[in-house]
Amino acid sequence: MKCPFCGCDDTQVKDSRTTDDSTAIRRRRECPECGSRFTTFERVQLRDLVVVKRNGEKTMFDRDKLARSIQIAVRKRPVNPERVEKIVNSIQRRLESSGEAEIPSAVIGQYAMDALSTLDHIAYIRFASVYKDFREVKDFEDFVETIDRFAKLKHQDEE
């Protein structure tokens, strides 16, 4: 593993352990050249996934990009970072086990929206505003109105 600080190719593993949810191995490393310490994570990748964007362009699935977009949605919300990690892990496992090598970006976005809708309503609206490409205030109003109607129906079903 290359040192991110000095570029030395020969770093040493000082400690290895599984993450809390056992989906990755956390390794503490040290660079013998500059003495810096850093952490890496190893995850099992079942298959290479290709994301098909709306314009037809294809790109490799980027787990970190998905995590960043969800983290942006939950920023300054009372959401535990481990919850975000579990959501990203769940979406990735779901995609890998689908049997499809090419996944439309809309599917990934919908999986994220589904997870956020049960996690935090504000994060859900934030994510939707980017995912659904809201351009006007009316778009927000319509979306929030839809959420309100759904919440009222759900509340009535529970009574």
Side-chain angles (χ1 to χ4, degrees), residues 50-114:
V50 175
V51 177
V52 181
K53 297 183 177 182
R54 289 179 187 161
N55 65 4
E57 181 184 334
K58 295 179 181 180
T59 184
M60 293 302 293
F61 173 74
D62 184 351
R63 182 186 192 290
D64 293 334
K65 182 178 178 183
L66 175 61
R68 281 191 308 273
S69 65
I70 293 174
Q71 286 167 344
I72 288 169
V74 301
R75 185 180 299 150
K76 295 185 180 181
R77 299 294 305 152
V79 174
N80 191 325
E82 286 85 30
R83 292 283 308 216
V84 172
E85 186 66 21
K86 285 181 181 178
I87 288 171
V88 173
N89 287 340
S90 171
I91 292 171
Q92 184 175 8
R93 279 193 304 272
R94 194 169 173 188
L95 295 172
E96 289 174 340
S97 64
S98 73
E100 300 294 324
E102 293 186 355
I103 310 288
S105 61
V107 169
I108 299 169
Q110 192 58 54
Y111 288 169
M113 294 246 319
D114 293 346

Side-chain angles (χ1 to χ4, degrees), residues 91-151:
I91 292 171
Q92 184 175 8
R93 279 193 304 272
R94 194 169 173 188
L95 295 172
E96 289 174 340
S97 64
S98 73
E100 300 294 324
E102 293 186 355
I103 310 288
S105 61
V107 169
I108 299 169
Q110 192 58 54
Y111 288 169
M113 294 246 319
D114 293 346
L116 288 170
S117 71
T118 60
L119 179 67
D120 184 274
H121 290 292
I122 300 299
Y124 174 60
I125 292 170
R126 285 178 179 169
F127 189 88
S129 71
V130 174
Y131 171 67
K132 293 189 176 285
D133 196 23
F134 293 162
R135 297 192 184 277
E136 298 177 16
V137 173
K138 181 78 172 120
D139 298 335
F140 272 107
E141 291 171 349
D142 293 345
F143 185 72
V144 171
E145 203 172 283
T146 303
I147 293 171
D148 283 344
R149 274 194 304 250
F150 180 73

Side-chain angles (χ1 to χ4, degrees), residues 4-5 14 28-31 34-39:
F5 302 102
K14 294 297 182 183
R28 282 296 292 157
R29 296 179 177 269
E30 184 174 11
C31 176
C34 68
S36 298
R37 288 184 172 225
F38 59 98
T39 302

